[in-house]
Amino acid sequence: MQTDEAGGSVQNEVSLPKKVAVVYSDVKREYFVNEEDYLTEEDADVYAGDVAQHISKMGIEVASFACDNQITDNLKKYAPDMALNLVDSIRGDTSLGSSVPGLFEVLHIPYTGAGVLGWSLGTNKFLMYQLMRSNGIPIPNHQLVSSSSDMIDPNLRYPLFPKLNIEHSSIGIANDSICENERELRAKLKDLIVKHKQPVLVDEFIAGIEVTSAVLDGLNTKVYTVQRKTGGETKDDVMTFDKKWRNWQNIGYEKFDAPGLREHVKKAFDVLKMSDYARIDVRIDHAGRFYFIDRRDRYGHRYE
């Protein structure tokens, strides 16, 4: 078995499908509790169309379908050889997304991305943290809170970094996300919980840099890591929502590597039951220590 510079293993080739369904989120403004959530998915149909166009150029028959109340009938009628799962939410609810791979399983349609278990894990950062820690993957010290008045673990050291437990895509991350004291933390917790109506994971903030690793687990399994250069709106190069979604043209990418990082990324990929492809975010402190902070295994967004 061969290896390549991205740490991948080259396997035997397989034949391409003849007929592919691209399935994407059915996006309507009324489905989402706030504008930020909606903004991350409003172009889901456009992105799916772009993907379908590339598939068509490979000589493969392809059709795109919104994951609405007609999706089962549409898939049965189209009868694809496989489905490309770009769905990120059902009626605006990310936690319902695990039903989509379940649907593919029921219909006996091979599909891309994580299965039901892997998808479900991806909607609970706290649970992901426990799985990674128990498998020797480094994570920040943290606490899950459901109310802005919850007692904060006195062992946590400021600055603290609260983030939504379910949502990804930098939703809720802003210039005030690095909290230097309890007053700032309480204010941020109240804002997140009231606005997004979900628990919040409070991390010890890891001063340093943030890198993101893309994993492609197919014929030629690879890990590519980059540091995203964001222009320094917040200290320590935090990827805020505005940077990612409103000012994405200003983001630069620089290839990054560090001893042991690739192996940790592959281990996290397996532990969290990801499949085919994923993105894993890591903070690296000034001493070069890794802290895994998030994963993303759904590419239904243009700027992710």
Side-chain angles (χ1 to χ4, degrees):
M1 185 175 292
Q2 298 175 323
T3 59
D4 59 26
E5 64 176 8
S9 57
V10 181
Q11 305 173 11
N12 295 328
E13 293 186 4
V14 297
S15 59
L16 294 174
K18 296 180 179 179
K19 196 174 184 180
V20 171
V22 177
V23 183
Y24 60 92
S25 298
D26 177 34
V27 179
K28 294 181 174 64
R29 178 61 186 89
E30 59 265 28
Y31 290 162
F32 297 86
V33 296
N34 57 65
E35 190 68 22
E36 280 189 7
D37 293 353
Y38 170 69
L39 180 60
T40 64
E41 292 203 71
E42 65 172 341
D43 290 331
D45 57 338
V46 177
Y47 181 66
D50 291 344
V51 172
Q53 186 176 21
H54 284 288
I55 294 173
S56 179
K57 290 179 180 178
M58 299 170 66
I60 299 172
E61 181 182 343
V62 60
S64 300
F65 301 100
C67 193
D68 54 19
N69 58 5
Q70 301 297 315
I71 186 60
T72 302
D73 291 338
N74 287 336
L75 288 174
K76 285 181 177 179
K77 182 177 180 180
Y78 187 63
D81 296 320
M82 70 168 290
L84 189 65
N85 185 12
L86 301 183
V87 177
D88 199 64
S89 66
I90 303 293
R91 295 189 299 277
D93 188 340
T94 301
S95 62
L96 293 177
S98 60
S99 62
V100 179
L103 172 63
F104 296 144
E105 295 283 358
V106 170
L107 297 178
H108 299 284
I109 300 173
Y111 57 93
T112 62
V116 175
L117 177 57
W119 220 104
S120 298
L121 290 174
T123 62
N124 191 325
K125 294 188 182 80
F126 179 74
L127 182 54
M128 287 194 292
Y129 270 23
Q130 310 322 303
L131 287 171
M132 287 192 287
R133 172 172 282 172
S134 65
N135 283 275
I137 300 168
I139 58 171
N141 293 325
H142 60 279
Q143 177 184 355
L144 184 68
V145 301
S146 56
S147 168
S148 60
S149 61
D150 283 356
M151 180 177 293
I152 303 302
D153 184 348
N155 293 315
L156 292 179
R157 296 180 298 176
Y158 287 91
L160 298 178
F161 191 86
K163 58 188 180 183
L164 297 171
N165 189 52
I166 296 175
E167 299 295 346
H168 300 271
S169 304
S170 294
I171 295 173
I173 304 300
N175 291 337
D176 61 352
S177 289
I178 302 175
C179 302
E180 300 286 353
N181 52 56
E182 185 172 353
R183 178 183 58 80
E184 293 179 0
L185 177 63
R186 297 287 181 191
K188 187 63 178 179
L189 288 174
K190 182 177 181 179
D191 176 67
L192 290 173
I193 292 171
V194 170
K195 186 175 182 180
H196 298 278
K197 305 184 188 314
Q198 62 181 270
V200 172
L201 188 63
V202 179
D203 285 354
E204 286 187 352
F205 180 68
I206 306 302
I209 65 171
E210 184 170 327
V211 302
T212 187
S213 294
V215 182
L216 301 178
D217 183 33
L219 294 176
N220 193 0
T221 305
K222 296 182 178 181
V223 176
Y224 296 102
T225 301
V226 296
Q227 181 183 358
R228 291 182 288 195
K229 301 290 187 176
T230 59
E233 291 175 21
T234 58
K235 63 182 180 179
D236 292 300
D237 208 27
V238 171
M239 180 59 67
T240 66
F241 181 86
D242 282 348
K243 288 177 183 177
K244 180 177 284 187
W245 294 101
R246 296 192 172 102
N247 303 309
W248 57 269
Q249 301 95 330
N250 297 325
I251 298 176
Y253 298 88
E254 183 176 298
K255 186 177 179 180
F256 183 90
D257 197 12
L261 178 59
R262 190 176 296 161
E263 290 71 24
H264 274 90
V265 168
K266 289 182 178 180
K267 187 174 184 180
F269 184 89
D270 292 336
V271 165
L272 299 178
K273 304 300 181 184
M274 293 180 274
S275 182
D276 297 328
Y277 44 76
R279 193 198 76 215
I280 297 175
D281 295 333
V282 185
R283 296 288 302 180
I284 303 177
D285 69 12
H286 298 301
R289 292 171 295 201
F290 310 137
Y291 296 86
F292 283 62
I293 58 171
D294 202 3
R295 57 161 263 193
R296 188 79 172 141
D297 54 7
R298 304 182 295 283
Y299 287 93
H301 304 322
R302 184 179 296 272
Y303 308 127
E304 284 274 67

